[in-house]
Amino acid sequence: MSTNNPVANYLGAGETVVSNLLLHHYHDLGMTTGELVVYLEFKSYADRGVLNPEVTLIADHLHTSAKRVFEQLQSLIHKKLCLQRTRQADGKEDVYYDFSPLLLKLAELAEKRDASQQQEQQTSQREDTFNKIEVEFGRPLSPMEMQVVNDWFDKDHYSAEVIDLALREAVMNSARNWKYMDRILRNWQEHNLKSVDEIEQYEKQFEKSRLKHTANHPAAIKGPDIPVFKLNDLWKQKGKDAK
């Protein structure tokens, strides 16, 4: 009902919520701007429970002809973005337009875009990791070394952050080679450490346990000098023993 209050009239007209994904990517679905507006008109009625609004009324809103609106609806059907369905209402059969295929394709588009962006990010991270390793090693990687690093990503599913951390550990221990890095990564994997946070927490817990053991066994201080190894040092020592 219209009133003399413009704000009340505005609020009383209701609102139609539109996904930004649709607004930004309707062209990617093959929709024209005219078809988008027709869909929005039908959605505005569907949101109020009216599935089969008069096409002539929609045409009047868009300042176009009913024939043009029907043409755009047929185009949407041809593009598999809309279906024409029938239903029984008040003992009579009527026709309405179902735009669920449009929403399904929109969801699939979003999924593909997310997967594509994730792939691009992973490719960028991998290239960055290769560059960091070559810089720290002071030379290009051999084909065999490149395959090893690729396997870390593809077969072992180590994240770029974890591989970078293993590289940092290798550099800090003056062991700039992929075998040492591989031993570090295997050690973390054996302890089910999959993220940088988990690794850092493990190292802190290890250091805390070591300090507690030292405090509980003060007599050990009276013996010969024994170097205090951090977790990284232990891995280095294990590597030497393995040789």
Side-chain angles (χ1 to χ4, degrees), residues 76-127:
L76 289 169
I77 292 173
H78 178 73
K79 294 173 182 177
K80 301 185 186 313
L81 299 175
C82 177
L83 293 172
Q84 191 175 42
R85 298 185 182 275
T86 59
R87 66 170 184 166
Q88 293 291 330
D90 298 327
K92 296 190 302 182
E93 185 176 85
D94 67 356
V95 177
Y96 70 98
Y97 293 94
D98 177 7
F99 291 92
S100 57
L102 165 61
L103 303 182
L104 179 60
K105 285 185 177 293
L106 191 63
E108 291 174 349
L109 175 65
E111 185 176 355
K112 289 179 181 179
R113 289 180 62 85
D114 289 343
S116 176
Q117 290 175 354
Q118 185 177 9
Q119 182 62 41
E120 290 177 2
Q121 182 180 14
Q122 290 174 347
T123 300
S124 177
Q125 289 177 335
R126 183 175 302 210
E127 292 176 353

Side-chain angles (χ1 to χ4, degrees), residues 13 18 22 24 34 40 42 47-48 50 55 59 65 77 98 116 133 158 161 167 181 190 200 203-204 210 229 235 239:
V18 183
L22 176 62
H24 298 161
L40 293 178
F42 273 87
D47 289 347
R48 290 173 284 172
V50 181
V55 172
S65 66
I77 292 173
D98 177 7
S116 176
I133 294 175
Y158 301 138
E161 293 81 6
L167 174 62
M181 288 181 62
E190 288 173 4
E200 290 178 345
E203 289 193 358
K204 288 179 182 178
R210 186 191 66 80
F229 289 101
W235 288 328

Side-chain angles (χ1 to χ4, degrees), residues 141-154:
L141 294 179
S142 68
M144 183 186 72
E145 290 172 328
M146 293 179 68
Q147 184 59 52
V148 169
V149 177
N150 278 321
D151 286 345
W152 287 342
F153 282 103
D154 300 329

Side-chain angles (χ1 to χ4, degrees), residues 41 52 61 202:
E41 277 285 341
N52 58 341
H61 291 166
Y202 182 86

Side-chain angles (χ1 to χ4, degrees), residues 180 183 187 190-191 202 206 231-243:
Y180 186 81
R183 285 197 295 271
N187 188 289
E190 288 173 4
H191 288 85
Y202 182 86
F206 179 87
L231 182 59
N232 299 328
D233 298 320
L234 291 176
W235 288 328
K236 182 178 179 182
Q237 187 62 42
K238 288 181 181 179
K240 290 181 178 180
D241 294 342
K243 296 179 180 179

